[in-house]
Amino acid sequence: MNKGVAFFLAIFWACNLTTPAFSQSDAGVYKIDVWKDGAITAGGIGMAVTGSLLMLNKPQITAADLQKLDKRQVNRFDRFAAGNYSKSAQNLSDIPFYTSFALPLVFLSDAKARSQAPQIYFLYAEAISLTGGLYALTAGLVNRTRPNVYGVDNPAEERLHKYANNSFFGGHAAATATATFFTAKVFHDLYPDSPWRPVVWGTAAAVPATVAYLRLKAGKHFLSDNLLGYGIGATIGILVPELHKNHHQRAWHLLPSTEQAAGSYFSGLALLRRF
């Protein structure tokens, strides 16, 4: 199964966990605007559909193209990975990749989290749709040959695969990082006094890093592809819940400010952090 299909499954699975009726009061940790956030989620799904269509219609690599490939065409930072191939690493990477999508289900085990489950899973659907949309659209528009294509001894079916030009950026790393960092961020917000928070954050960082390493070893992505995918996924996983926190619970606040200097008053905005 290609990554585009996996993203769709994750999106629809996450959307099906949500319910249309939930409170938008200030009582919970997160506040949702159904129409605005619904539109953002739909936009992410739209990008994923568009990107998947672009990927399907990309010109495939031909045998003649393979003859022109040279590892020296790859930038020095990524060149060490050119030619990598491991089917076992590829299959192994799928285990934490698919498993990570179910991580937010852990919140159903606690009464405090269950009371806010609709908001949590609505936001999860939004985060996954954004990551999936960004990946699919980027992979559909950018042609970057996968590392395994450079290996002259690698299987021909891998080198000539219809998705052999979808190396940029690392979709497995991005999706996994979104799921794990989203889970860690929600845990962090729901249980501010928990001694388990460092463990949760450490696990959130380690799982997508493992996936990225396996994808690198498998020859599916270069290091830069995975680093970018990891960064995008982690950023979305953290920012989506953070930006939806109720105002009085946000760590960061953007407020109007007036300062006096040299007898004059200056007005502007102040970015404040609550500790």
Side-chain angles (χ1 to χ4, degrees):
M1 180 182 295
N2 66 66
K3 293 187 290 295
V5 175
F7 275 122
F8 284 131
L9 291 177
I11 292 167
F12 294 131
W13 171 81
C15 287
N16 286 333
L17 285 175
T18 64
T19 58
F22 54 80
S23 171
Q24 299 185 51
S25 71
D26 290 337
V29 175
Y30 304 111
K31 189 172 184 177
I32 309 294
D33 185 317
V34 177
W35 293 107
K36 182 175 72 175
D37 291 304
I40 293 172
T41 303
I45 295 174
M47 287 193 299
V49 172
T50 302
S52 294
L53 292 175
L54 290 172
M55 284 189 278
L56 287 172
N57 290 290
K58 266 187 178 183
Q60 286 188 230
I61 290 179
T62 65
D65 294 326
L66 296 181
Q67 297 297 321
K68 302 174 184 177
L69 285 179
D70 188 334
K71 292 181 180 181
R72 289 173 296 182
Q73 298 168 339
V74 181
N75 67 80
R76 291 185 179 181
F77 181 78
D78 287 324
R79 193 175 300 163
F80 74 94
N84 280 4
Y85 174 73
S86 172
K87 189 66 175 179
S88 60
Q90 178 182 339
N91 293 335
L92 190 58
S93 72
D94 285 336
I95 298 174
F97 170 66
Y98 289 113
T99 303
S100 68
F101 292 144
L103 284 177
L105 287 175
V106 300
F107 297 119
L108 295 177
S109 64
D110 181 77
K112 180 179 181 180
R114 281 199 304 272
S115 67
Q116 301 176 64
Q119 291 94 329
I120 292 172
Y121 294 124
F122 195 100
L123 292 178
Y124 184 48
E126 183 174 326
I128 287 292
S129 71
L130 287 173
T131 301
L134 284 173
Y135 162 74
L137 197 58
T138 302
L141 292 172
V142 178
N143 287 326
R144 191 182 195 194
T145 306
R146 294 188 187 276
N148 60 13
V149 179
Y150 289 88
V152 295
D153 296 325
N154 293 340
E157 61 269 20
E158 289 288 339
R159 302 183 74 200
L160 297 171
H161 196 277
K162 64 179 179 179
Y163 294 126
N165 271 330
N166 293 349
S167 185
F168 186 81
F169 53 85
H172 271 63
T176 307
T178 296
T180 60
F181 278 91
F182 178 91
T183 303
K185 172 60 176 167
V186 172
F187 184 89
H188 182 99
D189 292 339
L190 288 177
Y191 312 105
D193 300 319
S194 174
W196 288 97
R197 292 205 301 182
V199 176
V200 171
W201 280 110
T203 303
V207 173
T210 301
V211 171
Y213 167 75
L214 292 171
R215 299 296 285 177
L216 179 70
K217 186 177 180 180
K220 289 296 183 181
H221 295 287
F222 291 101
L223 178 58
S224 61
D225 301 324
N226 282 319
L227 290 175
L228 180 61
Y230 189 109
I232 289 173
T235 299
I236 291 175
I238 293 171
L239 281 184
V240 168
E242 173 62 25
L243 294 176
H244 287 82
K245 289 179 70 173
N246 275 314
H247 182 73
H248 65 281
Q249 295 177 334
R250 288 179 187 166
W252 291 94
H253 298 271
L254 192 64
L255 301 173
S257 175
T258 301
E259 299 290 339
Q260 183 178 10
S264 300
Y265 286 91
F266 300 90
S267 297
L269 295 174
L271 184 64
L272 304 179
R273 168 112 165 98
R274 178 173 59 85
F275 294 94

